Amino acid sequence: MNQAISMSDAPPLRDGAHTDGTAGACAAPFESGSDSPGDGCAGTMAQHLCVIRSNEWVNDEYKHMVVSAPAAALAARPGQFFHLECPSGQRGTAYLRRPMSVYRIEPADGRIEFLYKVQGVGTQGLSEMVAGDTLNALGPLGHGFALPDACDHVLLLARGVGLATLAPLAGHAVAAGARVTAVLSARSRALVMSEAYLREVGAHAHIVLDDDRSSDLVPLEAKLRVLHGSNPFSFLATCGSNRMLALLQRLGAEWCVPGQVAIEQLMGCGIGACHACVRPFRAEGDVGRRSYRRVCWDGPVFDIQETLPW
Amino acid sequence: MNQAISMSDAPPLRDGAHTDGTAGACAAPFESGSDSPGDGCAGTMAQHLCVIRSNEWVNDEYKHMVVSAPAAALAARPGQFFHLECPSGQRGTAYLRRPMSVYRIEPADGRIEFLYKVQGVGTQGLSEMVAGDTLNALGPLGHGFALPDACDHVLLLARGVGLATLAPLAGHAVAAGARVTAVLSARSRALVMSEAYLREVGAHAHIVLDDDRSSDLVPLEAKLRVLHGSNPFSFLATCGSNRMLALLQRLGAEWCVPGQVAIEQLMGCGIGACHACVRPFRAEGDVGRRSYRRVCWDGPVFDIQETLPW
Amino acid sequence: MVDLSVNLGSLTLANPVMPASGTFAEGNAQFFDLNRLGAIVTKTITDDIRDGVPPPRVAEFRDATLFSIGIPSKGGDYYLKETVPFYRRYSPPLIASISANTIEEFGTLAGKLAGSGVAAIEANVSCPNLKKDGKAFGMDAEATHQVVCAMKSASGLPIWPKMTPNAGNVVEVALAAEEAGAEALVVSNAILAMAIDVETFRPRVANMMGGLTGAATKPIMLRIAYQCAQAVQIPVIGCGGIASGADALEFMLAGCTAIQVGTANFISPTAMPSVIDELTAFCERRGISALRSLIGAMRPHEPIPLQQGGAPL
Amino acid sequence: MVDLSVNLGSLTLANPVMPASGTFAEGNAQFFDLNRLGAIVTKTITDDIRDGVPPPRVAEFRDATLFSIGIPSKGGDYYLKETVPFYRRYSPPLIASISANTIEEFGTLAGKLAGSGVAAIEANVSCPNLKKDGKAFGMDAEATHQVVCAMKSASGLPIWPKMTPNAGNVVEVALAAEEAGAEALVVSNAILAMAIDVETFRPRVANMMGGLTGAATKPIMLRIAYQCAQAVQIPVIGCGGIASGADALEFMLAGCTAIQVGTANFISPTAMPSVIDELTAFCERRGISALRSLIGAMRPHEPIPLQQGGAPL
Ligand SMILES: Cc1cc2nc3c(=O)[nH]c(=O)nc-3n(C[C@H](O)[C@H](O)[C@H](O)COP(=O)(O)OP(=O)(O)OC[C@H]3O[C@@H](n4cnc5c(N)ncnc54)[C@H](O)[C@@H]3O)c2cc1C
Ligand SMILES: Cc1cc2nc3c(=O)[nH]c(=O)nc-3n(C[C@H](O)[C@H](O)[C@H](O)COP(=O)(O)OP(=O)(O)OC[C@H]3O[C@@H](n4cnc5c(N)ncnc54)[C@H](O)[C@@H]3O)c2cc1C
Ligand SMILES: Cc1cc2nc3c(=O)[nH]c(=O)nc-3n(C[C@H](O)[C@H](O)[C@H](O)COP(=O)(O)O)c2cc1C
Ligand SMILES: Cc1cc2nc3c(=O)[nH]c(=O)nc-3n(C[C@H](O)[C@H](O)[C@H](O)COP(=O)(O)O)c2cc1C
Ligand code: FES
Ligand code: FES
């Protein structure tokens, strides 16, 4: 396995030579629906050997992994993901890789972060990794979020682990000059993550919870209407809940505001070859026709109106 | 898996209540060649959960594992073995159990020891276990060594890991009133193990090495003839080398001295069910006829003259 | 109290769990009370005495084993004299498994077992190691039909032929066996396979080919059990890669009435009582009063036509 | 310098390593130089445009995967317009894989590919997801014969039919394919299998059944490849569970001339160049100058008669 494996350049850049994460990278490496790799990003996708810096619990269910990543991996954009080789753990060895969104990219620090829920065999294996271990990360893969040209106010509506996918868009949108409002939905206060990180990058974070029913659809819709009323959204992004997706589709259509959603699906290859990761989508411009698209290659970020709640 | 699993009684007996390893146990739990369990040992075979006390390297290839074992496991006799569930290790997970001879049994201390060579996936998994871990050991299994009634002088001829199997017979034979001469054959001095342990239990240990060619068959035969000349052997036991087995068969026949050999074979069940572990043997009293016997159930200790070198 | 009992033709078993032939022997009685089993199935015997094939007889993979044993047998007389009395001390019905070289010999050996206390006979027409013109009986619907007829008329006992997964037409063979009057089907025996040691260039089992068994084969074995259960009216006994209550359930959901545990017995001699305990625990957790209500309870995915009009998918 | 080249009928490949159809696509070109491959095999296409089956399309086991994809296809025209030009930028021969509903359609699509730059066509007569009277072409020697004839006469290209391991009579099908003029055989496609989620009672892939692939299937696939290689004179391309140089060697020792890597590409997109490097390293270590000298070099165990006279066993 000595092909196209890049090693993290140690030591990571810590100051000087500040590389902007956006420079040279592209949000949409390949044209959606096409099989041919575009020219723009050719060569950035690779198996990267990343050295773990830390891998800590953030609450009872989620862990936060920080790795040193080589330059090509640092070209990852918000919404893109890595396909991770999971080491053997207490529940055994995962046969296939596991997809994981980039939760934070800090090119200046040579650092990528993941936020993940420990679920089954693969994430259990990841959870047992310790500082100094090497993570084989294939990527960056897929299409990230694409903000519209004129973008004043971005809504991030995240549920549960969907936050891991949306979080990096906050800083990215702020850097692009937009105001960012993040609405975080969780079962309970203890499960709300990243509020501080979002505020740090300049987003306005609101919390809605199952505990006090503020996450129910009716109060949530009311809250979004108020937010939109006081400062109209120009882009809606969501991840992690089917019901929230349906709500944003409705509101987006009513307000004529575009949006995107990041979707999950079980994956085989992660690079468009196996067609295992499809979901049905509405054909562009033809609401009656559906077709399958590959989450790994045509997504995982899709137009909010073309996506079918499942 | 809550059936017939016995737990090590913690804390292990350290003094007082000295239980002699021989009391109540039987060297030959089931009649050779029979399928029906004898009555003598019914119930001693079980899956024992043994707590690891230590697991250290003795040289570059071998590790020495000491475990606290429950009473039924302590009934193991020299030559018997345990079928070990090997945990996942760096080379993966062994699907089947792995057979391992008892290297030392100390009932008074509630302790069993194994001496093993780290070879493949299973022994790699064993080698990664640490003090406090739990070893699932199925046994004691098979027929151990059976010393003849009148037994003045026992020869133990061991090569490599064969020593692990023969070692406990030394103390056992000494306790039974015999003089014990152990001849240990190894590639080099560094690979000779257990010299001290054998001396401690009262055996006379001789070393022969590949390094100085003292382990070659001609000098070895000469040495054995000298030893036999000065103090005739009444029982020959060997393990670990085909050429040494053939030599002892010849000398045993010439001297009219009985003997036994412990044999290895790849195993499935370890309890006589699958017939995977057979080797061909000469039928008793009929040198021309061969038949397969199960190493796990009819052995692993066999009459030296009935055994076919392979 | 969960009712675990199932009906297999004329037999009612206290629970659906039994050993797979050849993976269980007298020694297992040391590890748990055999009275806990639904039935006891013994290793296949032939009437003649056989040694089996030379070692090495086993090779191991990450989640499967390759065994080539070759049906060593002490013969029918030894079986009647020693094996039957040993197991008759236990209450679960005793199921003999037999193999033979010809249809007639299948009948003769079955006849010999009649009246011995054996409750049913498995017909091992599928063993990949026994060769007859290079083709096992179980690869051939007509031959299987004849074996079942011969055994049934000679013994009067319930006959359970055991399917071979190597046949491309297992369903045809199953239907032929049903037509011949089989009371149940065992689905399936081991899958013919091989492995080569790339350092020595030698096959990893001396017989070159052996039967692949264990966890890794389960999805294939489940598919074949499902296909047979769909096709026949008689009960199907699932076998192949079952090591846990969940595995057993998977076969029952696919339509099997009972199940056999094979290679898992080697990994833990108490695998079968554990499977029974796990089945009970599952039923309790899910509030299921009779395990048999789960037989065939798999729910296929609703068809999702892609090119639908405006309706939500 | 180790000579890795092999001859497959009229084609000579620089080395025996190529992707298995459906496990490799344009995206893989990002990970290594495709010029390193022995050949490039593309995903099966049909001439009509197909969506494939609904998700979930994959289930995973400890050492295998169950995929049910259903041959989504953008059709023959797209293939000629987009896929062929993409891969013609690389030097290894391009092998198309096609499937169809009828013998005639197999011929028509093969004819369409003639002169396009495709060097040979794999006939996917074995896909377990495509149903025709519930029976794949590849289960039937006669149908396979006709498919090969139709494709050959329509295209004039070398035809490589791909065997299905679900057929009990693979050797018969292989012989029929050889007789029809196939230049090589690919052995084999995925094994039909299923799995059920015992909590939801739902099949784990929406299509209920899928193809079991990956490491765990290797001993079965190796056995079938060996059986075919023994029976036919034309070269056999081994496929099934190959992930390393040692796996590839195992198939070559069993008589295969070349090999395909499938599921292992998902685990590492650089699996194929690694296999090539490992084959080279093996030959260097063992002093083998031409890899092809290992084809069929397995040495069976010498027969060891048990009941021999006085001679040592
Ligand atoms: C593009 C993408 C980005 C993702 N990003 C993140 C992330 O940033 N943080 C995070 O915690 N999770 C993320 N996921 C989900 C993550 O991939 C799964 O949780 C993980 O694969 C589970 O693996 P496992 O072996 O632990 O669980 P398994 O034992 O495989 O399964 C446990 C449960 O998780 C479900 N599951 C398994 N794989 C997936 C999958 N690929 N997508 C959705 N559900 C799955 C199974 O259906 C099952 O219910 C992402 C998924 C995708 C497709
Ligand atoms: C009754 C008995 C007692 C034994 N006692 C000891 C002991 O006290 N100390 C010790 O170090 N070893 C002992 N062995 C050998 C030990 O069982 C094997 O070394 C072990 O199973 C190898 O497992 P592995 O997974 O590490 O190697 P694998 O990856 O399975 O194989 C590595 C190599 O070991 C060989 N091997 C594997 N299993 C066996 C086996 N059962 N017998 C012989 N060779 C095998 C393989 O053929 C291969 O060459 C004993 C074997 C038997 C049958
Ligand atoms: C060592 C061994 C011996 C076997 N012997 C027989 C046999 O004598 N008769 C038979 O019908 N099946 C025999 N089988 C097949 C099993 O009964 C069973 O069908 C197969 O192992 C699949 O189940 P499993 O995956 O649970 O092991 C044997 C299997 C193994 C592993
Ligand atoms: C996701 C997936 C898609 C496949 N698609 C095809 C296909 O289109 N045509 C084909 O002939 N085989 C197809 N196969 C089968 C493979 O080509 C190969 O025969 C099989 O996977 C066994 O090899 P492996 O164990 O190395 O994966 C597919 C396999 C997988 C896993
Ligand atoms: S995971 Fe293979 S195409 Fe998406
Ligand atoms: S290992 Fe099963 S009979 Fe010996």
Side-chain angles (χ1 to χ4, degrees):
Chain A
M1 298 227 233
N2 46 6
Q3 314 295 322
I5 296 193
S6 71
M7 293 280 297
S8 161
D9 320 283
L13 308 169
R14 265 175 222 288
D15 57 1
H18 178 96
T19 342
D20 176 10
T22 53
C26 59
F30 313 124
E31 207 186 317
S32 177
S34 151
D35 282 317
S36 305
D39 289 323
C41 284
T44 61
M45 273 170 28
Q47 289 174 80
H48 302 289
L49 301 182
C50 302
V51 178
I52 309 241
R53 293 194 197 175
S54 67
N55 188 20
E56 303 300 331
W57 289 101
V58 295
N59 58 32
D60 284 354
E61 300 177 356
Y62 289 86
K63 283 200 103 164
H64 176 208
M65 180 185 279
V66 180
V67 306
S68 295
L74 295 167
R77 302 298 304 272
Q80 285 192 295
F81 69 97
F82 286 86
H83 213 23
L84 306 181
E85 197 175 277
C86 302
S88 301
Q90 277 172 24
R91 299 192 203 168
T93 311
Y95 189 52
L96 295 168
R97 289 171 182 263
R98 296 291 187 266
M100 214 52 80
S101 298
V102 282
Y103 168 59
R104 189 162 184 167
I105 315 142
E106 292 291 342
D109 186 29
R111 176 175 110 225
I112 284 183
E113 306 181 12
F114 300 100
L115 180 69
Y116 62 100
K117 185 167 177 182
V118 181
Q119 300 228 68
V121 55
T123 48
Q124 173 66 36
L126 288 179
S127 77
E128 295 177 24
M129 297 185 87
V130 295
D133 286 353
T134 300
L135 175 75
N136 181 318
L138 174 67
L141 302 176
H143 292 70
F145 290 97
L147 296 179
D149 285 341
C151 188
D152 291 332
H153 188 192
V154 172
L155 170 70
L156 309 184
L157 179 59
R159 169 85 184 170
V161 77
L163 180 69
T165 308
L166 288 184
L169 184 55
H172 184 78
V174 169
R179 173 186 173 87
V180 175
T181 299
V183 178
L184 311 179
S185 168
R187 288 209 308 282
S188 66
R189 185 80 220 180
L191 291 173
V192 177
M193 294 170 290
S194 319
E195 205 182 331
Y197 160 35
L198 289 170
R199 296 224 163 97
E200 179 193 326
V201 299
H204 302 260
H206 301 254
I207 311 288
V208 296
L209 300 173
D210 298 1
D211 272 1
D212 61 10
R213 321 214 47 164
S214 55
S215 66
D216 282 6
L217 279 191
V218 175
L220 179 60
E221 175 168 350
K223 182 179 204 95
L224 295 178
R225 285 188 182 279
V226 169
L227 289 166
H228 183 65
S230 63
N231 192 336
F233 296 120
S234 36
F235 185 74
L236 312 174
T238 186
C239 183
S241 157
N242 215 8
R243 293 183 321 145
M244 288 182 353
L245 165 63
L247 173 62
L248 280 202
Q249 286 181 325
R250 191 157 46 77
L251 294 178
E254 179 186 325
W255 299 338
C256 290
V257 174
Q260 288 185 313
V261 55
I263 300 286
E264 293 190 359
Q265 179 57 292
L266 297 169
M267 288 192 179
C269 64
I271 58 170
C274 75
H275 294 255
C277 62
V278 299
R279 290 205 177 268
F281 288 84
R282 293 193 181 95
E284 224 178 321
D286 174 357
V287 289
R289 204 186 119 73
R290 279 108 176 77
S291 65
Y292 291 127
R293 297 190 203 162
R294 289 162 295 183
V295 171
C296 75
W297 191 256
D298 305 317
V301 174
F302 293 93
D303 180 273
I304 210 167
Q305 299 299 348
E306 292 169 18
T307 303
L308 289 159
W310 54 93
Chain B
M1 298 231 234
N2 46 5
Q3 317 291 323
I5 296 195
S6 71
M7 291 282 296
S8 163
D9 321 284
L13 308 170
R14 265 176 222 288
D15 58 359
H18 178 97
T19 342
D20 176 10
T22 55
C26 58
F30 312 125
E31 206 185 319
S32 176
S34 151
D35 281 318
S36 304
D39 290 323
C41 285
T44 60
M45 273 171 26
Q47 290 174 80
H48 302 289
L49 300 184
C50 302
V51 178
I52 309 242
R53 294 195 197 172
S54 65
N55 189 20
E56 302 300 330
W57 290 101
V58 296
N59 59 33
D60 284 354
E61 300 178 355
Y62 290 86
K63 283 199 102 164
H64 177 209
M65 180 185 279
V66 179
V67 306
S68 294
L74 295 167
R77 302 298 305 272
Q80 285 192 296
F81 69 97
F82 286 87
H83 214 22
L84 306 181
E85 197 176 278
C86 302
S88 301
Q90 278 172 20
R91 298 192 203 167
T93 310
Y95 189 52
L96 295 167
R97 289 171 182 264
R98 295 292 186 265
M100 216 50 82
S101 298
V102 282
Y103 168 59
R104 188 163 184 168
I105 316 140
E106 292 293 342
D109 185 30
R111 174 175 111 224
I112 285 182
E113 306 181 11
F114 300 99
L115 180 68
Y116 62 100
K117 185 168 175 179
V118 181
Q119 301 227 69
V121 55
T123 49
Q124 173 66 35
L126 289 178
S127 77
E128 294 177 24
M129 297 185 86
V130 296
D133 286 352
T134 300
L135 176 75
N136 181 318
L138 174 68
L141 301 176
H143 293 70
F145 290 97
L147 297 178
D149 286 340
C151 189
D152 292 329
H153 188 192
V154 172
L155 170 69
L156 309 182
L157 179 59
R159 169 85 185 171
V161 78
L163 180 70
T165 308
L166 287 184
L169 184 55
H172 184 78
V174 168
R179 174 189 174 82
V180 174
T181 299
V183 178
L184 312 178
S185 169
R187 288 207 309 280
S188 65
R189 186 79 221 181
L191 292 172
V192 176
M193 293 170 291
S194 320
E195 207 182 330
Y197 161 35
L198 289 170
R199 297 224 162 97
E200 177 194 325
V201 299
H204 303 261
H206 301 255
I207 311 289
V208 295
L209 301 173
D210 298 1
D211 272 1
D212 61 11
R213 319 215 46 165
S214 56
S215 66
D216 281 6
L217 278 191
V218 175
L220 179 60
E221 175 169 350
K223 181 177 206 98
L224 295 178
R225 286 188 182 278
V226 169
L227 289 165
H228 183 66
S230 62
N231 192 336
F233 296 120
S234 35
F235 185 75
L236 312 174
T238 187
C239 183
S241 156
N242 215 8
R243 294 181 321 144
M244 288 182 352
L245 165 62
L247 174 63
L248 279 201
Q249 286 181 325
R250 191 156 47 77
L251 294 178
E254 180 187 324
W255 299 338
C256 289
V257 174
Q260 288 184 316
V261 55
I263 301 285
E264 293 189 359
Q265 179 57 293
L266 297 170
M267 289 191 177
C269 65
I271 59 170
C274 74
H275 294 255
C277 63
V278 298
R279 288 205 179 268
F281 288 85
R282 294 193 180 93
E284 225 179 320
D286 174 357
V287 289
R289 205 187 118 72
R290 280 108 175 79
S291 66
Y292 290 127
R293 298 191 203 159
R294 289 163 295 185
V295 170
C296 74
W297 190 256
D298 306 318
V301 174
F302 294 93
D303 180 89
I304 208 166
Q305 299 299 347
E306 292 168 18
T307 303
L308 290 160
W310 54 95
Chain C
M1 262 305 288
V2 180
D3 177 1
L4 295 182
S5 70
V6 296
N7 297 314
L8 279 180
S10 54
L11 300 181
T12 299
L13 311 188
N15 68 65
V17 179
M18 61 186 94
S21 176
T23 65
F24 178 88
E26 287 82 343
N28 291 65
Q30 301 270 316
F31 293 94
F32 66 95
D33 180 1
L34 302 192
N35 289 319
R36 294 206 60 198
L37 293 173
I40 294 171
V41 184
T42 52
K43 165 106 187 138
T44 300
I45 55 160
T46 53
D47 207 4
D48 50 324
I49 295 169
R50 295 188 186 183
D51 290 308
V53 302
R57 289 182 170 187
V58 57
E60 183 187 316
F61 309 100
R62 205 164 80 169
D63 225 359
T65 48
L66 180 67
F67 279 97
S68 171
I69 307 292
I71 314 282
S73 171
K74 297 189 173 171
D77 295 331
Y78 178 93
Y79 186 82
L80 289 171
K81 208 169 118 280
E82 303 286 342
T83 312
V84 173
F86 178 85
Y87 289 110
R88 291 309 298 146
R89 307 194 328 232
Y90 302 95
S91 56
L94 175 63
I95 318 298
S97 167
I98 71 167
S99 188
N101 289 318
T102 63
I103 310 278
E104 296 69 38
E105 283 172 29
F106 262 109
T108 311
L109 182 52
K112 206 162 170 173
L113 299 180
S116 66
V118 163
I121 313 181
E122 248 187 50
N124 180 357
V125 289
S126 46
C127 178
N129 295 326
L130 281 186
K131 285 158 218 146
K132 164 102 178 119
D133 306 345
K135 191 174 184 179
F137 290 94
M139 299 284 283
D140 179 348
E142 178 52 28
T144 302
H145 189 280
Q146 290 172 1
V147 166
V148 174
C149 288
M151 287 174 62
K152 206 174 137 91
S153 66
S155 70
L157 288 169
I159 307 299
W160 300 354
K162 184 167 176 180
M163 300 293 108
T164 169
N166 306 313
N169 56 343
V170 193
V171 165
E172 257 176 61
V173 178
L175 288 167
E178 176 177 44
E179 223 225 34
E183 262 199 19
L185 301 180
V186 183
V187 186
S188 304
N189 212 312
I191 306 176
L192 197 58
M194 69 185 278
I196 304 171
D197 183 321
V198 297
E199 291 301 328
T200 63
F201 295 12
R202 297 274 189 202
R204 286 182 59 191
V205 295
N207 195 43
M208 188 176 322
M209 292 185 193
L212 194 75
T213 66
T217 66
K218 193 182 62 168
I220 303 171
M221 302 299 244
L222 180 73
R223 180 263 299 178
I224 300 175
Y226 170 79
Q227 289 176 318
C228 288
Q230 288 288 105
V232 300
Q233 307 297 316
I234 53 176
V236 167
I237 301 162
C239 178
I242 298 175
S244 68
D247 296 335
L249 273 171
E250 212 178 341
F251 278 80
M252 295 188 78
L253 290 170
C256 296
T257 301
I259 60 91
Q260 296 186 341
V261 177
T263 309
N265 290 312
F266 303 161
I267 295 161
S268 167
T270 52
M272 288 186 291
S274 296
V275 167
I276 297 169
D277 292 341
E278 288 164 18
L279 287 173
T280 307
F282 180 90
C283 289
E284 280 168 355
R285 174 163 63 83
R286 299 283 293 248
I288 291 158
S289 58
L291 175 61
R292 84 181 77 85
S293 66
L294 296 180
I295 298 168
M298 179 183 74
R299 300 187 302 147
H301 290 259
E302 277 86 36
I304 317 173
L306 192 61
Q307 248 69 271
Q308 219 179 359
L313 283 188
Chain D
M1 262 304 287
V2 180
D3 177 1
L4 296 181
S5 70
V6 296
N7 297 313
L8 280 180
S10 54
L11 299 182
T12 298
L13 311 188
N15 68 65
V17 179
M18 60 186 94
S21 176
T23 65
F24 178 88
E26 287 82 344
N28 291 66
Q30 301 271 315
F31 294 94
F32 66 95
D33 179 1
L34 302 192
N35 289 318
R36 293 207 59 198
L37 293 173
I40 294 171
V41 184
T42 50
K43 166 110 187 132
T44 300
I45 55 160
T46 52
D47 207 4
D48 50 323
I49 295 169
R50 296 188 186 183
D51 290 309
V53 303
R57 289 182 171 188
V58 58
E60 183 187 315
F61 309 100
R62 205 165 77 169
D63 224 0
T65 48
L66 181 67
F67 280 96
S68 172
I69 307 292
I71 315 282
S73 172
K74 298 190 173 170
D77 295 329
Y78 179 93
Y79 187 81
L80 290 172
K81 207 170 119 281
E82 302 287 341
T83 312
V84 173
F86 178 84
Y87 288 110
R88 290 312 296 147
R89 308 197 324 234
Y90 301 96
S91 56
L94 175 64
I95 319 298
S97 167
I98 71 168
S99 189
N101 289 319
T102 63
I103 312 277
E104 295 68 39
E105 283 173 29
F106 263 108
T108 310
L109 181 52
K112 205 161 170 171
L113 299 179
S116 66
V118 163
I121 312 181
E122 251 187 48
N124 181 357
V125 290
S126 46
C127 179
N129 296 326
L130 281 186
K131 285 157 218 146
K132 162 101 181 124
D133 305 346
K135 192 175 183 178
F137 291 94
M139 300 284 283
D140 181 347
E142 179 52 29
T144 302
H145 189 280
Q146 289 171 1
V147 167
V148 174
C149 288
M151 286 173 63
K152 207 174 135 89
S153 66
S155 71
L157 287 170
I159 307 299
W160 300 354
K162 184 167 176 181
M163 301 292 107
T164 168
N166 307 312
N169 57 342
V170 192
V171 165
E172 256 174 63
V173 179
L175 287 168
E178 177 177 42
E179 225 224 33
E183 262 199 21
L185 301 179
V186 182
V187 187
S188 304
N189 213 313
I191 306 176
L192 197 58
M194 70 186 278
I196 304 171
D197 182 322
V198 297
E199 292 301 328
T200 62
F201 295 13
R202 296 275 189 202
R204 286 182 59 193
V205 293
N207 195 41
M208 186 174 328
M209 292 187 194
L212 194 74
T213 67
T217 66
K218 191 181 63 167
I220 303 170
M221 302 299 245
L222 180 71
R223 181 262 299 177
I224 300 175
Y226 171 79
Q227 289 176 320
C228 288
Q230 288 287 106
V232 300
Q233 306 298 316
I234 52 176
V236 167
I237 301 161
C239 178
I242 298 174
S244 68
D247 296 335
L249 273 171
E250 215 178 339
F251 278 80
M252 294 188 78
L253 290 170
C256 295
T257 300
I259 59 93
Q260 295 186 342
V261 177
T263 310
N265 290 313
F266 302 162
I267 295 161
S268 167
T270 53
M272 289 186 290
S274 297
V275 167
I276 297 169
D277 292 340
E278 288 163 20
L279 287 173
T280 307
F282 180 90
C283 289
E284 279 168 355
R285 174 164 64 81
R286 299 282 295 248
I288 291 159
S289 58
L291 175 62
R292 84 181 77 84
S293 66
L294 296 180
I295 297 168
M298 178 182 75
R299 299 186 306 146
H301 290 259
E302 277 83 38
I304 316 173
L306 192 61
Q307 248 70 270
Q308 216 178 2
L313 282 187

